[in-house]
Amino acid sequence: MTTDSPNTSKTTIEKDDDEIDLIALFFVLLRGWKIVLFFALLGLAIGVLYSRYVNPTFKSDAMIQIEENTQGIAALGESISDLVGSEASKAQTEAELIRSRMILEPVVTLLNLRIKLADPNISAIDKIKNDRIDTQLNTPEGVSLESEKGRVQVSQFEVPRAYLNRAFTLTQSDTGFVLNDGFDDFEGQIGKSHRFNGNEGQIYITVNELPEESYPITISQQSLKATTDSLNSALSVVEKGKQTGIIQLSMTGKSQEQVTNVLNQIVLSYIDQNQSRGSEETTKTLTFMETQIPALKKKLENSEAVFNEFRKEYGTIDVAKEAELLLTENSQIDTQLNELKLKKADLTTYYTNEHPLVVQINEQLAVLNSRQQEIDETVADLPELQREFLKLSEDTAINREIYLTLLKNYEQLKIVKAGQIGFARIVDLPISTYKAIAPKKLQIIVLALLLGAMLGTMLVLLKNLLRNVVKDPERLETKTSVPVIATIPRSPLLSRIGKNKHASTRLLTHVDHNSLSYEAIKSLRTSLIFSMPKQANTFNEMSASNQAVVNQRGKVILVTSESPNVGKSFITANLSEVLSQLNKKVLVMDADMRLGALHKVFNLSQDQGLSDYLSEGSSRLAKMNTAALASTTSDLDIESFIRQTGIDDIDFMPRGCHPHNPASLLMSERFAQLMTTLKAKYDYIVIDTPPVLAASDAIILSQYVDKVLLVARYDKSIEGQVTYAVKQMNKSNVQVDGIILNDVQQGLMDKYSYHYHYTYGYNKN
């Protein structure tokens, strides 16, 4: 329905405004392309330098498989597996174990990783120039480093705790080398081991090679914790996949050979520790058996000797059937008791008496002991001789069975230990690829370029935000309470001419008379004519009889600005030109006696202008009395200070030579008389003055004018400065009649382009 139409239109307008704002934002960035380009190139340069400054980083990988349990002992029989037990491990647990000092410390010791060598002669410029700097290489034989002057190798360097992480200087001398700790020099010979007595303790060092004489090398010994922490920071240990049992080890560093060597030793150190841990139970069981076998053998020999002696003395005894059965059962019970005691002795090496397995064995022992006691009571009823025979033969059989069983298990465990392996195995050992993984130079350069461009973009936007330049006429009117009476579009043709430094400034009527800019100047003329007071302002009260003369006096228009380079001289010259088209006599006065440049517009000289007229008149007036004041003007020829411009009905008074007191000259009686004379001679007087915030000239001249116009430049003048300039003039009781927004650029980038005026022009046909 129709009620929805306004909302729909409003939404459409808001969307259009948003789109135009984005386009305007794009053009803001386009205007600041030099800043964006500068920071982009700066970022590019930093990226290139950084990619060359940083040493390449290399990577080496290895892979280990973690098995769930070992199969070596179980394969020999259930009884041996029961004795030794089983072992299980998870990959995550082993990954943390690999990073422990138990694994890393042997590697640190083997490769002398605590020794650090550095070349202090390498500067940042050298790093950028060479693109890569050699780093130290650690081997079991020592630590070496290639320098510009030669190779350095140290196979031993140990310092007391007070000297840890402290840098020493090592240099070659005529007799060998000199080690300096910052206070003392220790001299030694190359290739020999030395022990020096320092202030904090003894220093051990063996130097095998050094660069040329007087070329210093920095050497230090790190603490063990610092070294292992450094290894851990470069080492990555993760399980590959989920519960696969495969551990991926990776190490990064500045030398491919170094990281491969270190990672290889870490893998070997872990496998050694794992294998030692896997055979630990077997070793303990063998040790226990080795202590028991000699005692059992001795016991067996003693029992056999006693039994043989008994048989020799009494001969063979025929035991009754019942006695044989009891003997057999008792023998079996003794065998079971000894096996349980052996198993209990083995278990008590790992567990306490409260462990469930130990308690269970104790219960079984109690049952067997009870049964054995019953058999003993039965056997006690047999004849004494038969009972002695049974006892001796039973002891001999039991001791032989125990000894043979233990000896058999001992030999089996020796076989197991010889072929036993850990539950971890090496899948891949590290290899050297010599392919750097960092820095990724192309990515760094592109990223630095983008970051630089982003920084430049942010600065352009921030600058545009902080400057808060003039763009919106309505906003400017709201802030200053002064109407914007004209918006002057930029003339593309005049802008192109202005880029030529040798080209003279031209009027629009000569170069671009069909442009919107020229029509906007004409519209400004119309606005001023209709808003001009019917009666000119005077600075002296006039009698009624002279009213007709007052009405005849010319209208004075003052053109100023809040700051330089906003185009007030352009407005002054072109406004004067369009006023002359009305067959009115116009005088253009350059009252900017400091930096006025209106003479260039009319191709005239600045000499003999306003400042010269006022200075010459002031010197003469100083010598005259008040009675002669009225005749002074006639004595001085005003015409000699006014130039013909070559344009009909337009005269020009240049600024003249630069005086030391422009404001004082404008406040003189001489200038007041000059204005009286000129207003009687010209229909319009257009005065170009210095900026309000730069000088007070505009405020002084405002008492002689009918209209005060303030020129602001689109996208350059600051809103705050324009507002402050208007306030400064209001404080001096000067009313600004209108603001002219100059150099407005037409295009999609400006959401306020509807302030342009359409123009009718003659086409080329």
Side-chain angles (χ1 to χ4, degrees):
M1 300 294 291
T2 56
T3 54
D4 293 334
S5 299
N7 293 333
T8 304
S9 301
K10 182 178 180 180
T11 304
T12 304
I13 293 172
E14 288 177 353
K15 289 182 179 179
D16 292 341
D17 286 346
D18 290 340
E19 292 177 0
I20 293 176
D21 282 341
L22 292 176
I23 296 174
L25 189 63
F26 168 74
F27 278 95
V28 168
L29 296 177
L30 194 61
R31 286 194 298 272
W33 68 270
K34 292 183 179 179
I35 297 177
V36 176
L37 179 62
F38 171 77
F39 279 95
L41 294 177
L42 180 62
L44 177 63
I46 293 174
V48 172
L49 293 177
Y50 176 77
S51 63
R52 292 186 61 84
Y53 177 83
V54 178
N55 244 15
T57 300
F58 298 92
K59 183 179 180 181
S60 192
D61 297 314
M63 195 176 293
I64 297 175
Q65 180 184 8
I66 306 297
E67 297 177 346
E68 289 301 322
N69 48 49
T70 59
Q71 302 295 333
I73 296 177
L76 294 174
E78 184 178 355
S79 59
I80 300 299
S81 179
D82 291 339
L83 286 174
V84 178
S86 61
E87 183 73 18
S89 176
K90 293 183 179 180
Q92 290 293 340
T93 304
E94 296 304 311
E96 292 301 320
L97 184 63
I98 293 174
R99 305 176 71 96
S100 66
R101 282 197 296 272
M102 180 183 70
I103 303 299
L104 298 181
E105 186 173 352
V107 179
V108 171
T109 303
L110 177 66
L111 298 180
N112 303 293
L113 293 178
R114 295 178 64 183
I115 302 176
K116 297 297 178 182
L117 297 177
D119 189 350
N121 306 284
I122 298 176
S123 63
I125 302 298
D126 295 330
K127 293 182 179 180
I128 295 174
K129 183 170 60 176
N130 297 329
D131 194 26
R132 179 180 176 182
I133 302 299
D134 290 324
T135 57
Q136 71 178 41
L137 180 63
N138 293 73
T139 61
E141 292 75 24
V143 186
S144 60
L145 175 66
E146 297 292 338
S147 68
E148 183 182 357
K149 299 296 184 180
R151 185 169 180 265
V152 54
Q153 184 184 34
V154 178
S155 58
Q156 180 191 21
F157 185 63
E158 297 178 11
V159 298
R161 184 171 58 184
Y163 285 140
L164 290 177
N165 304 315
R166 181 189 294 186
F168 289 73
T169 302
L170 194 61
T171 54
Q172 188 179 23
S173 64
D174 296 335
T175 58
F177 68 88
V178 177
L179 180 68
N180 181 270
D181 64 350
F183 302 96
D184 300 322
D185 290 336
F186 305 102
E187 297 183 359
Q189 295 181 356
I190 294 178
K192 292 185 178 181
S193 179
H194 293 277
R195 182 181 66 183
F196 301 123
N197 294 320
N199 294 330
E200 303 293 341
Q202 293 182 339
I203 302 172
Y204 298 88
I205 186 171
T206 302
V207 181
N208 300 322
E209 289 184 60
L210 275 178
E212 296 180 2
E213 188 175 352
S214 302
Y215 192 85
I217 295 294
T218 301
I219 183 172
S220 62
Q221 184 185 29
Q222 285 187 327
S223 64
L224 178 62
K225 186 177 186 308
T227 306
T228 54
D229 288 346
S230 177
L231 283 178
N232 269 320
S233 65
L235 179 65
S236 172
V237 184
V238 294
E239 184 177 8
K240 196 170 184 180
K242 189 175 182 181
Q243 304 212 348
T244 59
I246 303 296
I247 295 179
Q248 177 90 37
L249 293 89
S250 302
M251 175 167 276
T252 58
K254 303 302 180 183
S255 170
Q256 178 70 80
E257 189 175 355
Q258 174 84 343
V259 296
T260 302
N261 193 18
V262 173
L263 184 59
N264 185 71
Q265 292 300 328
I266 290 175
V267 172
L268 295 179
S269 175
Y270 168 71
I271 294 298
D272 289 342
Q273 291 285 347
N274 180 267
Q275 188 169 355
S276 299
R277 186 163 50 127
S279 61
E280 184 177 358
E281 290 187 16
T282 306
T283 302
K284 287 184 178 181
T285 304
L286 286 173
T287 303
F288 172 74
M289 288 183 174
E290 288 172 353
T291 60
Q292 295 297 315
I293 286 175
L296 291 174
K297 184 178 181 182
K298 182 69 174 176
K299 188 176 180 181
L300 176 61
E301 291 174 350
N302 293 335
S303 63
E304 286 180 345
V306 173
F307 182 63
N308 290 333
E309 188 68 27
F310 179 82
R311 291 179 63 184
K312 185 185 293 186
E313 181 178 355
Y314 297 101
T316 303
I317 300 176
D318 186 17
V319 183
K321 193 68 175 178
E322 181 180 358
E324 291 180 2
L325 293 174
L326 292 174
L327 177 62
T328 302
E329 183 179 0
N330 197 21
S331 177
Q332 292 176 353
I333 291 174
D334 285 335
T335 301
Q336 294 178 10
L337 286 172
N338 282 288
E339 287 179 352
L340 288 174
K341 289 178 181 179
L342 182 61
K343 193 169 185 179
K344 177 182 178 182
D346 181 64
L347 289 174
T348 53
T349 60
Y350 302 99
Y351 309 111
T352 62
N353 291 329
E354 288 77 14
H355 194 273
L357 293 177
V358 178
V359 173
Q360 185 179 4
I361 290 175
N362 289 334
E363 292 175 354
Q364 293 175 3
L365 287 173
V367 173
L368 292 175
N369 285 328
S370 177
R371 175 58 182 163
Q372 190 178 44
Q373 186 176 1
E374 293 176 4
I375 294 174
D376 290 341
E377 292 175 356
T378 304
V379 173
D381 297 334
L382 296 176
E384 184 67 26
L385 189 60
Q386 291 181 346
R387 190 167 60 250
E388 184 67 20
F389 177 83
L390 290 175
K391 180 177 180 299
L392 293 176
S393 63
E394 178 185 354
D395 289 343
T396 303
I398 290 173
N399 290 335
R400 182 181 293 109
E401 182 69 24
I402 293 174
Y403 175 73
L404 292 176
T405 301
L406 188 61
L407 191 62
K408 172 185 168 184
N409 290 340
Y410 176 73
E411 294 300 328
Q412 287 180 337
L413 285 177
K414 286 175 65 177
I415 297 173
V416 170
K417 183 178 180 182
Q420 194 171 38
I421 60 174
F423 53 81
R425 68 168 180 167
I426 300 174
V427 178
D428 291 326
L429 279 173
I431 59 174
S432 298
T433 61
Y434 296 98
K435 183 179 180 181
I437 62 169
K440 299 185 182 300
K441 295 187 177 182
L442 182 60
Q443 292 184 10
I444 290 176
I445 292 173
V446 172
L447 184 61
L449 178 66
L450 293 177
L451 289 177
M454 289 174 60
L455 179 60
T457 301
M458 291 174 61
L459 288 177
V460 170
L461 296 177
L462 183 62
K463 180 181 177 182
N464 184 73
L465 180 64
L466 294 178
R467 285 185 62 202
N468 202 12
V469 293
V470 174
K471 287 186 176 181
D472 183 5
E474 281 88 352
R475 178 184 172 90
L476 188 60
E477 288 180 349
T478 302
K479 284 187 170 293
T480 60
S481 300
V482 177
V484 176
I485 60 174
T487 56
I488 312 299
R490 172 180 291 184
S491 170
L493 183 58
L494 196 61
S495 297
R496 288 196 295 271
I497 295 175
K499 292 180 180 179
N500 186 357
K501 296 181 179 180
H502 302 288
S504 59
T505 307
R506 306 290 296 277
L507 293 172
L508 286 173
T509 186
H510 295 151
V511 296
D512 203 6
H513 62 277
N514 285 328
S515 65
L516 289 175
S517 305
Y518 196 45
E519 291 301 322
I521 296 290
K522 293 179 180 178
S523 298
L524 173 62
R525 175 191 65 185
T526 303
S527 176
L528 290 175
I529 290 175
F530 283 98
S531 64
M532 198 71 70
K534 299 296 183 180
Q535 180 174 323
N537 295 329
T538 61
F539 51 88
N540 292 321
E541 292 185 359
M542 309 291 292
S543 62
S545 59
N546 294 329
Q547 187 65 43
V549 177
V550 172
N551 290 334
Q552 300 274 325
R553 288 184 174 174
K555 309 299 188 295
V556 183
I557 302 171
L558 183 143
V559 181
T560 187
S561 64
E562 92 288 354
S563 62
N565 301 320
V566 298
K568 59 181 177 59
S569 298
F570 166 80
I571 298 297
T572 300
N574 285 279
L575 177 61
S576 302
E577 191 274 330
V578 296
L579 286 173
S580 67
Q581 294 178 10
L582 303 176
N583 295 323
K584 301 292 184 179
K585 193 166 182 60
V586 180
L587 174 67
V588 181
M589 178 184 293
D590 191 353
D592 188 353
M593 292 180 281
R594 297 173 179 83
L595 299 173
L598 265 175
H599 58 280
K600 296 180 181 179
V601 178
F602 299 105
N603 293 322
L604 298 173
S605 171
Q606 71 179 41
D607 300 330
Q608 283 295 103
L610 177 62
S611 62
D612 302 298
Y613 175 82
L614 296 177
S615 299
E616 183 178 346
S618 298
S619 60
R620 291 192 180 186
L621 285 173
K623 300 178 182 179
M624 297 181 180
N625 54 26
T626 306
L629 183 61
S631 62
T632 303
T633 304
S634 59
D635 293 338
L636 295 176
D637 187 5
I638 297 177
E639 296 297 331
S640 61
F641 295 93
I642 296 177
R643 306 280 192 276
Q644 299 294 322
T645 61
I647 302 175
D648 295 340
D649 297 325
I650 297 181
D651 291 339
F652 174 63
M653 176 176 281
R655 65 182 176 93
C657 62
H658 178 59
H660 67 279
N661 57 345
S664 300
L665 294 177
L666 294 176
M667 295 178 67
S668 64
E669 290 293 332
R670 179 67 175 168
F671 183 76
Q673 293 178 10
L674 173 65
M675 290 302 299
T676 302
T677 303
L678 294 177
K679 290 173 71 174
K681 185 176 181 181
Y682 291 96
D683 297 306
Y684 291 100
I685 301 174
V686 184
I687 304 177
D688 185 10
T689 68
V692 175
L693 300 181
S696 60
D697 298 14
I699 297 176
I700 297 172
L701 292 171
S702 62
Q703 61 179 316
Y704 303 104
V705 304
D706 300 287
K707 287 289 183 181
V708 176
L709 305 180
L710 183 69
V711 179
R713 189 166 186 172
Y714 176 86
D715 203 26
K716 182 175 181 181
S717 296
I718 309 300
E719 282 186 355
Q721 291 183 357
V722 176
T723 303
Y724 184 70
V726 172
K727 288 182 179 179
Q728 289 297 102
M729 299 191 76
N730 290 339
K731 288 180 181 179
S732 302
N733 295 324
V734 177
Q735 179 181 354
V736 179
D737 297 292
I739 295 176
I740 302 172
L741 190 56
N742 185 35
D743 197 34
V744 177
Q745 301 175 41
Q746 184 178 15
L748 293 175
M749 60 176 287
D750 181 22
K751 65 184 287 186
Y752 307 107
S753 59
Y754 58 81
H755 288 283
Y756 285 126
H757 302 284
Y758 291 99
T759 179
Y760 289 99
Y762 300 101
N763 58 34
K764 294 182 180 180
N765 296 325

